[in-house]
Amino acid sequence: MTYKERAVAILSLFLTDYTKEELFECADAAYSQTKFGAEPVPLRKVNESTDVLELWHGPTSAFKDMALSILPHLMITSAKKNHLENEIVILTATSGDTGKAALAGFADVEGTRIIVFYPKNGVSPIQEKQMVTQKGANTFVVGIHGNFDDAQTGVKKLFADKELAARMQEKGFQFSSANSINIGRLVPQVAYYAYAYAQLLA
């Protein structure tokens, strides 16, 4: 199996409300050669007893690209299947890698907006530059005073605010997340372990 085929096989075990065709469309869009090259996750032999799975071939060179490249496609497919009319606003807290990978994944994805909150002095200068220079009409980045925990606590409070949720609904928006609390972020990360294991057995 190719990486896409194995990813679909794994995703279909967990995301049972999607058809295999829908999952393949999502995987095909996410793991395109333009974004990941010919081999999304090559397994390299270091020596007789050690192999290394390379997870840095995505658009931001972070392993989180593997999940955050497919998550927008899973979300949009789900929204269409459920006849969702609201625009999805992604709220994400980051200590660096997640923010850029999520911004790159959701940039200009129709029906979504993404707001990334990061600690102003708590990420590397390169990570900050990656985030604040992200192109996309639907991408927004907010530096906060405090650390990652403060950013995450702030996001959780926004999710828990029922009055805000009602106002958002009224305006045609609803919140979602690209952090690990989202099953659509977690399951794609299972796929590359299964892929590596199968490659090693082969």
Side-chain angles (χ1 to χ4, degrees):
M1 285 182 173
T2 64
Y3 183 76
K4 288 177 196 175
E5 288 167 339
R6 200 167 300 283
V8 168
I10 298 296
L11 289 166
S12 66
L13 298 175
F14 295 91
L15 306 178
T16 54
D17 47 346
Y18 292 83
T19 65
K20 284 223 172 152
E21 290 73 28
E22 287 167 338
L23 289 172
F24 198 85
E25 280 174 24
C26 291
D28 206 38
Y31 305 123
S32 67
Q33 192 158 336
T34 315
K35 289 181 184 173
F36 282 88
E39 267 188 288
V41 284
L43 194 65
R44 306 283 188 215
K45 184 165 279 304
V46 178
N47 56 43
E48 280 308 304
S49 60
T50 309
D51 294 82
V52 174
L53 189 66
E54 294 181 355
L55 296 174
W56 48 263
H57 290 271
T60 75
S61 301
F63 79 94
K64 292 178 180 178
D65 284 328
M66 295 309 300
L68 290 165
S69 291
I70 195 167
L71 178 60
H73 302 287
L74 292 171
M75 273 191 183
I76 293 307
T77 302
S78 176
K80 285 176 185 165
K81 283 168 76 76
N82 290 290
H83 310 290
L84 184 73
E85 291 178 13
N86 286 351
E87 193 167 345
I88 302 167
V89 179
I90 309 297
L91 299 180
T92 297
T94 188
S95 56
D97 287 346
T98 294
K100 174 56 180 171
L103 288 163
F106 280 93
D108 291 326
V109 171
E110 196 180 336
T112 69
R113 297 185 195 196
I114 180 166
I115 307 168
V116 170
F117 299 87
Y118 74 98
K120 180 74 180 114
N121 298 309
V123 300
S124 73
I126 287 173
Q127 287 171 323
E128 185 174 38
K129 283 184 179 75
Q130 281 186 319
M131 286 189 283
V132 300
T133 58
Q134 174 64 50
K135 289 180 170 60
N138 64 337
T139 62
F140 305 89
V141 183
V142 180
I144 64 140
H145 297 292
N147 58 27
F148 169 71
D149 289 334
D150 297 318
Q152 188 152 316
T153 300
V155 167
K156 284 178 181 173
K157 281 181 180 170
L158 291 171
F159 277 121
D161 189 330
K162 289 187 170 65
E163 193 182 317
L164 176 60
R167 281 170 56 204
M168 294 282 287
Q169 181 69 30
E170 211 175 275
K171 301 282 186 186
F173 298 102
Q174 71 183 65
F175 287 140
S176 189
S177 176
N179 284 109
S180 298
I181 57 169
N182 190 324
I183 190 74
R185 156 86 187 269
L186 282 175
V187 176
Q189 291 177 202
V190 175
Y192 51 76
Y193 292 108
Y195 179 76
Y197 179 70
Q199 294 292 91
L200 287 168
L201 281 183

